[in-house]
């Protein structure tokens, strides 16, 4: 009699466990599209069957287990971090590239060519007031074009600053979400599949923004560390990040009045910018502090656009001031055509202007040898191949200006190509991860059939045991 009752208990317990397994499968199917969710399964173990010892066998549950693979998760996170880097670089350099007219038919290249053409026309009729005025007008237009490009680059810098600040805010928000998960995990002994799905979804989002690594502690909480080891989340503590724009003084600034550099600092005020070398934040910082700084300048470099503006002004002014307005004895020396802020090397482009004191009659076409158009010819040849006046790094002004645009274009092309390649790598990593830990509906359907049959079989066992018990009870009643 006791064996029958024990068997009934064992079968009833098996029914309950099979129902739990079916509930887990239902939860898997319902969350098949949930970001970060990993397939769950009930960990079943067979109970010992020893008839003589009263052990009736059956099945027992030892909790849930998921199919999440830490290595696959890490591969997806790393691939996503790199994709975020290239994506931000492609977008940032694309914005900068759009400010340059590589065709030479518009923008600053066209303005430079117009001034050189004006010099050439002036060399033909050096005393013609119209030709002189054309030189002044072209010089003014060129200065305005340089100013406009400088202002546009400054605006792009401000836009990047805003994007960097927004990205840091997103990182802090995600860090808070991970902190909340840790707090809940500390209070519960068993992992929650839904909470874990939210955790890994948050980590996937964080991967798009910055580079980091994670360590799962023995209590189930997750520690998140930035690339250089600076902690972002430890247990229930968040190391909030912030953005500071300042002139870099380490090493001491060569250009103390230069445009500031974007810095990322932790909650202790430590500069951790160098640790952020991937993710969208890493790409933005690289574009802001390296690509853009190489053009507009920073504490250590003048910037290519400023170098162009200063060299242009110094070269043209020097040539003009070396000549005279006519070949008559005692004729006045030439006057500078351009002015700029010489106190700040990184402000040359923004401050470049036509000398407000110059008039057309003060342009000096006569060189020191008395050639009536010698100075005008020198100015007209500044863009010619082989000229040495006004050269920068072995390039004349036209070539150097083209090289600035070409360099940005190359940066953009490289970033765009890397982005396309990395997108495929990230997609492959995600696919492999999903194959390991994602919900396979076909597998879930197969498991449903298996547990349904197990449930039906166990229910049949219960029916048989119940019939045996009824028969036994009736026999006992008759005997009495």
């Amino acid at each position: 009699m006791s064996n029958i009752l024990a068997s009934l208990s064992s079968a009833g317990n098996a029914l309950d466990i099979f129902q739990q397994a079916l509930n887990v499968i239902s939860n898997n199917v319902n969350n098949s599209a949930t970001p970060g969710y990993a397939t769950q399964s009930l960990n079943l173990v067979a109970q010992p069957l020893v008839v003589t010892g009263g052990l009736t066998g059956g099945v027992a549950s030892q909790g849930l287990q998921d199919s999440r693979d830490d290595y696959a998760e890490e591969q997806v996170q790393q691939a996503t971090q790199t994709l975020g880097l290239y994506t931000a670089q492609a977008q940032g350099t694309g914005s900068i590239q759009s400010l340059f007219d590589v065709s030479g038919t518009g923008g600053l290249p066209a303005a430079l060519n117009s001034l050189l053409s004006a010099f050439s026309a002036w060399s033909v009729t050096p005393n013609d007031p119209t030709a002189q005025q054309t030189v002044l007008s072209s010089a003014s237009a060129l200065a305005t074009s340089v100013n406009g490009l400088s202002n546009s680059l400054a605006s792009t810098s401000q836009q990047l600053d805003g994007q960097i600040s927004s990205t840091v805010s997103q990182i802090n928000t995600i860090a808070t979400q991970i902190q909340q998960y840790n707090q809940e995990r500390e209070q519960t002994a068993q992992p929650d599949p839904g909470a874990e799905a939210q955790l890994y979804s948050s980590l996937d989002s964080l991967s798009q923004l910055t580079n980091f690594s994670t360590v799962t502690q023995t209590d189930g909480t997750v520690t998140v560390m930035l690339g250089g080891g600076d902690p972002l989340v430890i247990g229930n503590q968040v190391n909030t990040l912030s953005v500071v724009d300042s002139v870099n003084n380490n090493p001491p600034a060569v250009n103390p009045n230069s445009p500031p550099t974007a810095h990322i600092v932790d909650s202790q005020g430590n500069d951790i910018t160098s640790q952020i070398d991937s993710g969208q934040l890493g790409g933005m910082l690289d574009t802001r502090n390296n690509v853009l700084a190489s053009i507009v300048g920073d504490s250590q470099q003048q910037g290519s656009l400023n170098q162009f503006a200063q060299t242009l002004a110094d070269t043209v002014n020097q040539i003009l001031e070396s000549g005279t307005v006519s070949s008559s004895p005692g004729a006045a020396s030439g006057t500078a055509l351009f002015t700029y802020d010489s106190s700040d090397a990184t402000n040359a482009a923004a401050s470049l202007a036509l000398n407000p004191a110059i008039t057309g009659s003060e342009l000096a076409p006569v060189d020191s040898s008395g050639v009536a158009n010698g100075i005008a010819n020198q100015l007209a040849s500044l863009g010619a191949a082989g000229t040495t006046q006004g050269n920068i790094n072995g390039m004349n002004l036209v070539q150097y200006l083209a090289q600035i645009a070409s360099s940005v274009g190359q940066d953009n092309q490289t970033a765009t190509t890397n982005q396309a390649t990395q997108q495929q790598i990230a997609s492959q990593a995600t696919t492999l991860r999903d194959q390991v830990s994602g919900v396979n509906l076909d597998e879930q359907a197969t498991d449903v059939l298996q547990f349904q049959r197990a449930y039906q079989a166990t229910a049949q066992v219960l029916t048989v045991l119940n019939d045996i018990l009824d028969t036994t009870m009736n026999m006992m009643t008759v005997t009495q």
Side-chain angles (χ1 to χ4, degrees):
M1 184 73 170
S2 61
N3 287 340
I4 294 176
L5 293 175
S7 296
L8 279 171
S9 176
S10 175
N13 179 66
L15 282 180
D16 180 64
I17 290 174
F18 293 148
Q19 184 59 56
Q20 292 179 35
L22 289 170
N23 291 339
V24 170
I25 294 173
S26 176
N27 189 53
N28 287 338
V29 173
N30 291 335
N31 287 279
S32 60
T34 300
Y37 186 83
T39 302
Q40 305 292 308
S41 60
L42 199 62
N43 190 14
L44 303 179
V45 293
Q47 297 289 79
L49 174 62
V50 181
V51 177
T52 57
L55 300 178
T56 58
V59 63
S61 168
Q62 292 187 342
L64 291 174
Q65 63 182 11
D66 64 41
S67 58
R68 192 180 307 280
D69 185 283
D70 291 338
Y71 175 77
E73 293 287 350
E74 182 181 354
Q75 293 304 302
V76 171
Q77 290 169 8
Q78 291 180 352
T80 305
Q81 291 167 19
T82 305
L83 176 60
L85 170 69
Y86 293 147
T87 299
Q89 287 177 334
Q91 293 174 346
T93 55
S95 297
I96 298 173
Q97 182 187 29
S98 67
L99 302 177
F100 291 86
D101 188 322
V102 296
S103 68
T105 60
L108 184 51
L112 177 58
N113 288 329
S114 293
L115 177 60
L116 295 176
S117 296
F119 284 144
S120 181
W122 177 46
S123 69
V124 177
T125 55
N127 296 317
D128 180 14
T130 301
Q132 295 170 348
Q133 187 58 44
T134 300
V135 169
L136 298 184
S137 298
S138 297
S140 178
L142 174 58
T144 300
S145 183
V146 172
N147 300 156
L149 179 55
S150 177
N151 292 335
S152 295
L153 290 168
S155 177
T156 299
S157 177
Q158 292 175 356
Q159 292 173 4
L160 281 170
D161 285 342
Q163 293 171 6
I164 290 172
S165 295
S166 176
T167 302
V168 168
S169 295
Q170 293 178 55
I171 291 173
N172 289 334
T173 298
I174 294 174
T176 301
Q177 295 171 354
I178 298 173
Q179 173 203 32
Q180 293 171 351
Y181 168 84
N182 285 343
Q183 290 175 337
E184 295 173 359
R185 190 68 179 84
E186 289 175 347
Q187 298 171 1
T188 57
Q190 295 296 326
D192 180 352
E196 284 196 354
Q198 294 178 359
L199 168 67
Y200 281 92
S201 178
S202 296
L203 291 174
D204 282 349
S205 298
L206 186 62
S207 298
Q208 299 174 23
L209 304 179
T210 188
N211 52 304
F212 65 92
S213 60
T214 61
V215 176
T216 301
Q217 305 299 335
T218 55
D219 60 357
T221 61
V222 176
T223 297
V224 181
M225 296 173 292
L226 296 175
D230 200 69
L232 182 63
V233 181
I234 296 182
N236 58 7
Q237 296 181 348
V238 175
N239 184 9
T240 305
L241 306 182
S242 58
V243 185
V244 175
D245 287 340
S246 62
V247 175
N248 202 346
N249 288 308
N250 187 21
V254 176
N255 305 308
N257 297 318
S258 67
T261 300
H263 298 267
I264 308 299
V265 298
D266 62 17
S267 57
Q268 305 300 317
N270 300 312
D271 190 333
I272 59 171
T273 309
S274 61
Q275 298 184 25
I276 313 297
D277 57 12
S278 195
Q280 293 179 13
L281 182 57
M284 293 174 189
L285 289 170
D286 176 67
T287 303
R288 169 70 170 80
N289 294 342
N290 295 321
V291 178
L292 196 56
S294 69
I295 303 172
V296 301
D298 59 18
S299 65
Q300 301 300 319
Q301 58 186 331
Q302 182 179 15
S304 56
L305 183 61
N306 291 304
Q307 191 173 12
F308 166 81
Q310 180 177 344
T311 302
L312 169 70
D314 288 347
T315 301
V316 171
N317 290 346
Q318 181 181 3
I319 293 173
L320 281 172
E321 289 173 334
S322 68
T324 56
V325 297
S326 71
S327 57
S328 302
S333 298
T335 302
L337 184 61
F338 293 107
T339 63
Y340 66 90
D341 180 9
S342 59
S343 65
D344 180 5
T346 61
N347 193 40
S351 61
L352 183 67
L354 177 69
N355 183 357
I358 193 173
T359 63
S361 61
E362 293 177 308
L363 291 172
V366 183
D367 65 17
S368 58
S369 300
V371 179
N373 62 352
I375 294 298
N377 283 332
Q378 290 183 47
L379 293 171
S381 66
L382 288 178
T387 185
T388 58
Q389 289 182 300
N391 278 11
I392 308 174
N393 300 331
M395 293 175 280
N396 62 40
L397 292 171
V398 174
Q399 293 170 334
Y400 186 72
L401 184 58
Q403 188 270 337
I404 298 175
S406 175
S407 178
V408 176
Q410 183 61 51
D411 288 338
N412 179 252
Q413 182 179 5
T414 300
T416 302
T417 301
N418 288 340
Q419 179 189 14
T421 302
Q422 190 62 31
Q423 180 66 66
Q424 296 178 355
I425 295 174
S427 296
Q428 291 173 357
T430 302
T431 299
L432 291 174
R433 180 192 64 180
D434 292 345
Q435 289 175 349
V436 173
S437 61
V439 178
N440 186 309
L441 295 179
D442 291 337
E443 291 180 357
Q444 297 303 302
T446 301
D447 290 343
V448 165
L449 291 176
Q450 290 177 343
F451 282 113
Q452 282 180 337
R453 290 172 179 172
Y455 189 96
Q456 293 168 353
T458 305
Q460 184 65 36
V461 170
L462 274 174
T463 300
V464 172
L465 289 173
N466 185 62
D467 291 343
I468 293 174
L469 183 60
D470 287 343
T471 300
T472 303
M473 294 294 294
N474 290 333
M475 293 174 61
M476 293 175 64
T477 300
V478 171
T479 301
Q480 293 177 354

